[in-house]
Amino acid sequence: MEFIVTNYAPIMFGGLIIFLLLGFPVAFSLGACGLAFGFLGIELGIFPSSVIAWLPQRLIGIMANDTLLAVPFFTLMGLVLERSGMAEDLLDSVGQVFGSLRGGLALAVVFVGALLAATTGVVAASVISMGLISMPIMLRYGYDRRLASGVIAASGTLAQIIPPSLVLIIMADQLGRSVGDMYKGAFLPAFMLVGLYVLWIVILAIFRPQVLPALPPEARTLREPDGSAGYTSLGVLAAISALVSYFLASHMADIHTWWQGELVESVPTDEKVVVAMCGGVFIAWLIAIVNRFAKLGMLSRLAERVTFVLIPPLLLIFLVLGTIFLGVATPTEGGAMGAVGAIIMAWLRGRMSMSLLKQALASTTRLASFVMFILIGATVFSLVFQAADGPKWVEHLMSSLPGGQVGFLVVVNIMIFFLAFFLDYFELSFIVIPLLAPVADKLGIDLIWFGVLLAVNMQTSFLHPPFGFALFFLRSVAPEKPYVDRVTGKVMDPVTTMQIYKGAIPFLFMQLTMVGILIAFPGLVTGNLDKQVEVNMEAVGNQMMDALQNNESYGSDNPFASQPGEAASESGDASAPAPETPASDEGYGADDPTKAMEEAVKPSEGASGTQ
C-alpha cells in the first residue's frame, strides 16, 4: 500500500495508457481514469475529498473560455469555402499557371494546400478536396503514384501549422499564451516548411523528371486567341502587386505616422508582411475589376482567371490575420469575421445554398463537440493528477535529463513523435502539453517557441504509417480498383495503400528536419514576437518611497506623512534610513506601512545595484 501511495502519479499515468490501449474513446478514457483514481485517492487518503468538489468550477471555466470559441468559427469558415468549390477552382487555375513546368502540378498542389491551410484549417477537408480533384489529373498525365500521394497528404497537413491553425489555438490555450503571439511565431516556420516541399519537388524535377512530367499542350486550356499562354500580362500584374507590397512594407512607419498623427519609428515585421501583401493583392484585384468592366483587354484569360480565383481568399486570409496581428480583433472575433466573409464569398460566387450551410454547420458542431469532450475529460484527469503531485513527478523526471534545455527538447520531441503514432494532435495537446509546459517554463524555454516546435512535430501524426489520418483520408478518395479515365478513355491502375505510405515518408523526414531547424535556431520563432518591456521594479520602488517620504502624492491628510519629530529626507534618497517612530505612537510601530515598503524595496546585501 505504501508503494501505491508513494508512486500514485506514475501509476495513474500508466492507468491512462491501459485505458487507451483497451480501445476506449480518448475523451471517456481521460474522464474515467481521472474519476476512478480520484475516488481511489480519497479512500487512500492521498488527497482530500474537496478535490472532486473543485471539478464543477473547472468545467464552468472551460465553458467560459473565450479563446476556444475561435475553433468553431475558423472551422465554419474553412468548411464553407471548401464546400463552395474554392479548392477545385484554385487547383485548376494554379495548375494552369505551373502546368508547363516539370512538376508543375505538384507545385500547384503544394501552393493550393498552403492556401487551403490558411482558409480551412482542417486537414481532412484539404486532403479530401485535393485528393478528389488533383489525384486523377496527376495520374492521367503520368505522375508517379507515390509522389502524387505524398504531395497531396503532406500539403494537407500544412493546415496544422499555417495560421489560423486550430492546433495553434489549442496550444496557446494550454500554454497560457496569446493566440496572436502563437500565430506570429508560427508564420515564418510554416512557410519555411512549404519551401522545403517545393525544394524537394524541384530536386526531383531535375534528377528524376520522368516521375513528374509537364502537362501536355492540349491540357492547358486557358490560352489566348493567338495561341499564346498569356504569361506576360500575368507577370506584369504580379510585378505591380509586388511593387505595391514592397512600397507599403518599406514605408509602413510613415503610413502609421500619418494615420495616427504622431511619430512611429518602427513597425513589427509580421504587421508589415500582412498589411503590405493585403495592399498588393487588393491593387491586383482592382486592376482586374476595372479591366473586366471597362473591357480594356489588358489582361489575358489566364491572368484574369488567376486574379479572380486567387485574390478573394487571399484578401480574406490577410483580413483575418491582419486584424489579429494588428490587435484590432481577438482571434475569436477574427474567426467570426472570417466565417461571415466566407459565407459572403460563397454567396457572391453563386455557390451558397441552405443545404451547403447546413452541412457546414453540422460538421462544425461535430468537431467543436469532439474538442469540448476531450477537453472536459483532460480537465478531469489533470485535476486529479495535479492533486496527486503529478506535475512534480514529471518535473523531476524531465529536469534531471542530461543536456539542459537541448536535452529536454530532444527527449520531448522524440516522445511526441512516437506518441503521435497512437494519438492525434487534440489528444496530445490536452494530455501531454499541460504536463510539459511547467517544466519547459522552469528551464527558461520560451513557451511560444516550445508551442510552435511541438505543433510542427505534431504534424507528423498525420503522416505516420500505419495510423496517419491524412493517409486514411487520402485512401478514402484514391482509386482502389482499376478505372477508366473520363478524359483519355484509358484503363488506369489503382493506387495501393503501400504506395500512399511510401509517398509520405520523404515529407515525414522534411517535417522532422524542420523540427531540428527550430531547435537549432529559436530566433525563427521568437524573432517575430513583440519585445517584452522590462520594468525595473527596484527603481519603481525607489520612486514610490521618494513620493511617500516627501509627501508629494498624498497631501497633508496622508496618514503616512511625517509626524512631528520625524525628519523627512530632503534629498529624497530612498536609501536613507527612515527615522524611528516613538514606541508610544501606537498608530505606527512595527506595522508602519512606510517601513514595510522601505524593507520591501531595500536592495539585498551584496547587490550590484540596478540591473
Side-chain angles (χ1 to χ4, degrees), residues 23-327:
F24 291 106
V26 173
F28 301 129
S29 296
L30 286 165
C33 184
L35 289 175
F37 279 91
F39 289 119
L40 180 60
I42 292 171
E43 289 295 324
L44 295 176
I46 297 175
F47 38 74
S49 59
S50 59
V51 169
I52 302 299
W54 300 335
L55 187 57
Q57 191 66 30
R58 287 287 191 96
L59 298 183
I60 291 173
I62 295 174
M63 304 302 176
N65 191 333
D66 292 338
T67 302
L68 294 177
L69 278 175
V71 173
F73 282 134
F74 280 119
T75 304
L76 179 61
M77 178 182 81
L79 290 174
V80 168
L81 290 175
E82 183 262 327
R83 294 175 188 272
S84 65
M86 182 192 70
E88 184 175 357
D89 292 342
L90 283 171
L91 280 167
D92 182 48
S93 301
V94 179
Q96 292 289 327
V97 173
F98 293 104
S100 60
L101 302 174
R102 289 192 180 276
L105 277 178
L107 291 174
V109 168
V110 171
F111 289 133
V112 173
L115 279 173
L116 291 178
T119 51
T120 64
V122 181
V123 171
S126 298
V127 173
I128 291 174
S129 298
M130 292 191 295
L132 287 171
I133 299 164
S134 61
M135 177 70 82
I137 301 174
M138 298 173 86
L139 299 183
R140 180 182 305 150
Y141 296 113
Y143 268 69
D144 182 82
R145 281 165 169 71
R146 291 171 299 178
L147 175 64
S149 302
V151 167
I152 294 172
S155 299
T157 65
L158 291 172
Q160 296 308 290
I161 191 61
I162 295 181
S165 160
L166 300 185
V167 156
L168 297 177
I169 296 174
I170 301 297
M171 195 73 71
D173 177 69
Q174 294 300 302
L175 292 172
R177 292 296 184 266
S178 160
V179 177
D181 284 344
M182 197 67 73
Y183 282 173
K184 292 178 183 179
F187 204 76
L188 186 56
F191 289 100
M192 287 181 65
L193 188 58
V194 175
L196 287 178
Y197 290 177
V198 171
L199 181 62
W200 173 247
I201 293 170
V202 171
I203 291 173
L204 286 178
I206 295 173
F207 295 103
R208 297 188 62 195
Q210 70 277 6
V211 302
L212 27 67
L215 283 178
E218 61 271 16
R220 304 173 208 160
T221 56
L222 292 178
R223 291 189 172 273
E224 297 302 291
D226 61 359
S228 62
Y231 285 113
T232 303
S233 60
L234 178 62
V236 171
L237 188 64
I240 293 173
S241 178
L243 287 173
V244 171
S245 298
Y246 176 77
F247 176 82
L248 289 175
S250 58
H251 293 82
M252 193 64 65
D254 299 332
I255 295 172
H256 272 273
T257 300
W258 169 76
W259 180 262
Q260 299 178 11
E262 57 184 26
L263 181 63
V264 176
E265 296 182 353
S266 63
V267 179
T269 303
D270 55 336
E271 182 179 330
K272 288 182 181 180
V273 171
V274 171
V275 176
M277 294 185 73
C278 187
V281 297
F282 177 76
I283 289 297
W285 180 74
L286 189 62
I287 291 172
I289 287 285
V290 172
N291 178 74
R292 170 172 287 189
F293 286 99
K295 298 182 178 180
L296 300 178
M298 296 186 300
L299 298 179
S300 62
R301 290 179 60 198
L302 180 66
E304 195 170 278
R305 172 71 179 273
V306 169
T307 303
F308 284 118
V309 169
L310 206 61
I311 299 303
L314 280 176
L315 281 176
L316 183 62
I317 294 166
F318 295 143
L319 179 65
V320 172
L321 291 182
T323 53
I324 295 173
F325 285 174
L326 295 174

Side-chain angles (χ1 to χ4, degrees), residues 415-497:
M415 181 180 70
I416 292 290
F417 177 76
F418 284 105
L419 285 175
F421 276 83
F422 312 102
L423 303 173
D424 71 4
Y425 64 94
F426 279 130
E427 295 152 3
L428 288 170
S429 299
F430 290 137
I431 299 173
V432 181
I433 302 305
L435 301 179
L436 297 177
V439 184
D441 194 30
K442 192 167 184 178
L443 289 173
I445 296 172
D446 185 278
L447 290 186
I448 298 293
W449 171 42
F450 187 64
V452 173
L453 180 66
L454 295 189
V456 174
N457 197 337
M458 286 181 191
Q459 273 189 281
T460 61
S461 67
F462 287 90
L463 294 181
H464 282 149
F467 302 114
F469 285 104
L471 308 182
F472 289 158
F473 298 144
L474 185 59
R475 175 68 281 172
S476 68
V477 296
E480 296 184 62
K481 300 178 181 179
Y483 67 99
V484 178
D485 184 74
R486 62 181 181 83
V487 174
T488 62
K490 296 180 180 179
V491 177
M492 306 295 293
D493 293 330
V495 177
T496 66
T497 302

